[in-house]
Amino acid sequence: MDSYCYVPFEDEPGCDRFRVVTIFPGASDQAIQCTLEHVALGKSPDYEALSYVWGNPEDKADIFCNGRRLQVTADLHAALHHIRPLGSEPRRIWADAICINQRDNDERGRQVRRMREIYPKASRVLIWLGEAHDGSDEGLEAAREIAQACRQYAAERGDLKTISFSDGRASRLFGKFRDPSQFTRLEAFYRVIRRTWFTRVWVIQELALAAEATILCGNTVMDWKDLMDAITAQDHLNLHLADHERNAYIFILQKAREEWAQGMKLGLLSVLFRYRIFDSTDPRDKIFGLSSLARGKLADIQALQADYNIGTLQLYCTIAEEILKESRTLHLLSVPRRFVGIGPQHLPSWVPDWTNTRLTACLGLLNYSDINDLGFAATRASKAQIRFDDATSSLAVEGHIVDRIQAVGSVLKVEEVPRTNFREVRIPKCSYVLDNWLRVAEVKQEEPYITGEPIRDAFAQTLVTESTSESIETLRAQLDILESYASIARWLGSFSERKPPDTLVQQAVTAMHTALFHNTTDQLTLYFRIHMSSLADRRVFRTERGYIGLAAALAEAGEEVVVVKGGNVPLVLRPKGEAWTLQGDYYVRGIMQGEAYDGERCELMRIS
């Protein structure tokens, strides 16, 4: 049988047409039959939009479109099988791999730009998580029960974001999920949350723009709101296997949905920064897949118009240059740098690698926060002076060296923190590197810190990048709690390959926790925990002059602490011939409000 051949769209300016696929009823053992038709945005029939993961592009299956064979990925084929109607009425949907001619880069670019109109017009978005496996039916049934308990709790108590087992209503409604008999179901729910769909960049706009959203997993159907309620309760109540890093992806998705509905306007840098942890098969889609969510001066620039004839390197450089020109700030240089894995080749160090998907916050910020709200003024009210050298792909700035790094601590890599579930005991992740960091900062020395405050106080402020309004007495108490947890982490870290059975580890951790916190609180305050988000992928350091602070993972002893005119935070720069390479940004206790900045010392510095 002949393969399906796409009918091209009209080539005139202002063409607003797109394709809708009509799926005809059929039994599960029958081939999928459908038709494709061109429709105008303003006159389209009712349709649903499909959001799914492409999967392995080499794993293909056949459907029949207008009587001809059309190959689609196996994951899409499975989704079509499940949403195909069984009765007599056909079903209209929009699915990118069918409705866009993927072999035509020009059409692909034009239709991708049209997705910001296609998704809102759909009656609802169907989110296909994949076939039922690994107990997904059981896991989603547990999620339904948690969501039902959430509705009761919300009706009686209010906001789920403050839910805690210290509340008697929460214990009554959710208490059964603390019983080990429920752990198998919660483990199955955990595996559902870890499915690939939740980490893909395209799903952000697909969900944000959706009028309604429904989860499909095998034959199980669930409303998006119910799933969100279940994940919120699971996360805040620290139920069995609650994965707070993984849940962060889902909270970010929901945040995008809420903000779009509220009409919030985010600039291009804010959008790219917030959603950088999501992944894509094509690295250019880390820009194109988010362009619909950007508003403001850069929302309509040519570089944002999906064009698959442009290379990744050129696209990333052009976007970085446009952001720096428009903002006249250096916030772009605070986007976390890649320190593991491989990114686009020959990317200048000042250009963010948007393929880097690590969950790393800017200094003093939550992952949800806006990178343009950096609360520091390391060069006071100075204005950035930037120039671009196209011949060398370098960025010229003006700045001066403040100090040099003398010693660095271990990098806090969240993925290397033990994931054993301790039920009621939540060990802060920085506890696993705290001993090392205390030594590097020389917290036990008797002399005061360079600012005149006790060095222990300076260290506590460093852990939260002085971004909390809590009293120093509270911060001291928080550091005491962390040191107690560090003793548990030290014990857990003592095992190499031969670790005791989990039940014995659980009992030991519970006993140690009881002994350490007998008659004292073990609770870190909300704002302390929030601002510790900046610690992931960072390391404590000490300078030659005695400053301590947080540096990016790439920072090493011997590298320079530099303040750049117009920069809110100091930068880590490494000499490279007559130029410098950017290693990341710094928090340095005592110079974040311009105390070390001297405009007269500034000289031209070229970052390549």
Side-chain angles (χ1 to χ4, degrees):
M1 181 177 289
D2 292 340
S3 295
Y4 179 77
C5 183
Y6 280 89
V7 177
F9 293 104
E10 296 89 341
D11 199 22
E12 73 273 9
C15 174
D16 68 345
R17 301 181 74 80
F18 68 109
R19 298 185 184 94
V20 171
V21 58
T22 300
I23 305 174
F24 295 104
S28 60
D29 60 345
Q30 293 179 318
I32 294 172
Q33 301 283 345
C34 64
T35 60
L36 266 177
E37 60 181 315
H38 292 199
V39 297
L41 276 167
K43 299 178 181 179
S44 63
D46 288 341
Y47 64 92
E48 299 163 297
L50 185 63
S51 177
Y52 66 103
V53 175
W54 278 44
N56 183 355
E58 303 302 320
D59 190 2
K60 297 288 186 69
D62 290 339
I63 64 173
F64 295 90
C65 186
N66 294 12
R68 297 188 176 188
R69 184 170 61 89
L70 176 64
Q71 285 197 320
V72 298
T73 63
D75 285 356
L76 175 55
H77 189 264
L80 296 175
H81 257 294
H82 280 272
I83 67 176
R84 176 171 56 179
L86 297 176
S88 59
E89 294 297 319
R91 189 172 192 173
R92 289 189 180 92
I93 68 165
W94 186 89
D96 56 356
I98 301 176
C99 297
I100 300 175
N101 183 358
Q102 301 295 323
R103 296 182 178 180
D104 184 337
N105 278 345
D106 291 330
E107 177 188 305
R108 185 180 168 199
R110 289 193 298 270
Q111 289 294 303
V112 163
R113 295 195 291 272
R114 196 152 288 147
M115 286 167 63
R116 71 178 69 187
E117 300 167 280
I118 292 172
Y119 272 92
K121 279 188 63 65
S123 59
R124 65 172 172 169
V125 170
L126 305 172
I127 297 170
W128 171 249
L129 297 184
E131 295 281 15
H133 63 83
D134 287 339
S136 57
D137 290 342
E138 186 180 16
L140 287 173
E141 183 58 35
R144 276 205 189 92
E145 293 178 20
I146 297 172
Q148 183 177 6
C150 288
R151 286 192 290 272
Q152 292 178 256
Y153 181 85
E156 298 176 15
R157 187 70 177 175
D159 193 352
L160 285 176
K161 295 178 181 178
T162 60
I163 194 171
S164 167
F165 274 126
S166 61
D167 182 344
R169 291 181 181 85
S171 294
R172 172 172 55 83
L173 292 169
F174 300 93
K176 82 170 191 176
F177 294 103
R178 304 167 83 179
D179 191 288
S181 65
Q182 296 292 317
F183 287 178
T184 299
R185 303 175 74 210
L186 292 174
E187 288 167 7
F189 182 34
Y190 162 81
R191 289 192 291 270
V192 170
I193 295 171
R194 292 195 65 81
R195 294 205 178 193
T196 306
W197 183 89
F198 295 100
T199 66
R200 305 301 288 180
V201 73
W202 279 109
V203 310
I204 303 168
Q205 74 163 4
E206 293 167 1
L207 178 66
L209 304 182
E212 294 183 18
T214 300
I215 297 288
L216 306 176
C217 185
N219 292 320
T220 301
V221 180
M222 188 175 189
D223 185 75
W224 171 262
K225 184 181 183 305
D226 284 346
L227 182 73
M228 274 307 308
D229 285 348
I231 291 171
T232 301
Q234 173 243 35
D235 188 83
H236 291 2
L237 294 173
N238 200 33
L239 298 181
H240 179 65
L241 283 191
D243 188 337
H244 309 292
E245 279 70 45
R246 187 65 171 202
N247 290 346
Y249 287 86
I250 305 169
F251 292 140
I252 291 172
L253 286 173
Q254 178 63 13
K255 189 82 170 177
R257 182 164 170 76
E258 292 171 356
E259 290 184 343
W260 184 265
Q262 294 164 5
M264 290 188 64
K265 297 182 178 180
L266 296 179
L268 178 58
L269 177 57
S270 296
V271 168
L272 297 180
F273 170 73
R274 285 193 183 196
Y275 307 126
R276 70 198 184 283
I277 65 172
F278 293 83
D279 206 356
S280 66
T281 302
D282 188 326
R284 294 168 293 186
D285 286 336
K286 294 299 294 284
I287 306 293
F288 298 150
L290 296 170
S291 60
S292 295
L293 301 178
R295 299 176 179 178
K297 295 179 180 178
L298 295 181
D300 297 318
I301 60 173
Q302 184 60 38
L304 273 187
Q305 310 311 308
D307 178 0
Y308 291 95
N309 295 307
I310 189 175
T312 301
L313 177 65
Q314 181 184 348
L315 176 64
Y316 284 14
C317 289
T318 300
I319 289 294
E321 188 169 332
E322 291 283 357
I323 289 173
L324 286 170
K325 285 178 179 177
E326 190 277 330
S327 67
R328 305 304 299 177
T329 72
L330 299 178
H331 296 150
L332 180 83
L333 304 186
S334 286
V335 175
R337 308 287 110 179
R338 174 187 289 280
F339 71 99
V340 294
I342 300 173
Q345 295 296 305
H346 310 300
L347 197 67
S349 67
W350 60 273
V351 176
D353 174 7
W354 297 113
T355 67
N356 179 20
T357 58
R358 293 185 68 83
L359 188 63
T360 307
C362 269
L363 289 168
L365 293 183
L366 280 172
N367 288 306
Y368 297 157
S369 298
D370 192 333
I371 191 173
N372 291 304
D373 287 339
L374 291 169
F376 303 112
T379 59
R380 299 194 283 275
S382 65
K383 302 297 182 182
Q385 304 292 323
I386 59 175
R387 293 192 296 276
F388 302 96
D389 185 343
D390 293 336
T392 60
S393 299
S394 62
L395 170 70
V397 297
E398 295 182 13
H400 68 85
I401 296 171
V402 171
D403 204 346
R404 181 177 288 112
I405 296 179
Q406 186 176 73
V408 294
S410 301
V411 178
L412 176 54
K413 298 178 183 178
V414 173
E415 71 275 13
E416 295 183 0
V417 171
R419 290 212 171 269
T420 307
N421 185 269
F422 301 118
R423 302 183 200 170
E424 303 302 313
V425 181
R426 184 186 295 190
I427 301 176
K429 294 175 178 57
C430 71
S431 300
Y432 292 90
V433 295
L434 191 65
D435 288 342
N436 173 270
W437 286 5
L438 287 166
R439 284 195 298 273
V440 169
E442 297 184 345
V443 169
K444 290 186 178 180
Q445 70 178 17
E446 296 181 0
E447 293 82 5
Y449 185 59
I450 196 168
T451 59
E453 65 189 318
I455 193 166
R456 188 175 175 84
D457 290 355
F459 183 81
Q461 290 279 14
T462 297
L463 294 180
V464 291
T465 59
E466 64 186 76
S467 298
T468 175
S469 59
E470 292 177 313
S471 68
I472 190 59
E473 290 77 17
T474 299
L475 293 181
R476 289 168 183 163
Q478 301 297 283
L479 183 53
D480 290 341
I481 292 172
L482 284 179
E483 288 194 275
S484 294
Y485 274 118
S487 63
I488 301 178
R490 194 181 312 128
W491 179 76
L492 289 168
S494 66
F495 303 114
S496 53
E497 296 180 1
R498 304 184 68 178
K499 191 184 78 170
D502 286 345
T503 53
L504 294 181
V505 172
Q506 172 67 63
Q507 293 170 3
V509 168
T510 301
M512 292 175 70
H513 183 269
T514 301
L516 288 167
F517 294 104
H518 182 63
N519 293 328
T520 62
T521 181
D522 67 339
Q523 296 296 315
L524 295 172
T525 65
L526 174 63
Y527 290 110
F528 192 84
R529 285 191 287 107
I530 284 174
H531 290 289
M532 282 201 302
S533 64
S534 294
L535 300 181
D537 286 353
R538 296 190 184 275
R539 61 200 326 172
V540 162
F541 69 90
R542 187 182 71 256
T543 72
E544 293 177 351
R545 294 179 57 193
Y547 285 110
I548 61 173
L550 290 172
L554 291 171
E556 298 289 352
E559 292 177 339
E560 310 291 356
V561 180
V562 175
V563 286
V564 175
K565 187 176 291 187
N568 291 69
V569 294
L571 301 177
V572 187
L573 294 182
R574 177 180 297 172
K576 182 184 179 182
E578 296 182 355
W580 304 81
T581 58
L582 176 64
Q583 305 300 106
D585 56 2
Y586 283 111
Y587 167 83
V588 186
R589 177 64 179 169
I591 73 167
M592 300 305 290
Q593 300 303 325
E595 297 91 334
Y597 175 68
D598 183 353
E600 294 184 357
R601 293 177 56 199
C602 287
E603 57 185 29
L604 192 67
M605 306 181 81
R606 187 163 55 84
I607 303 175
S608 62

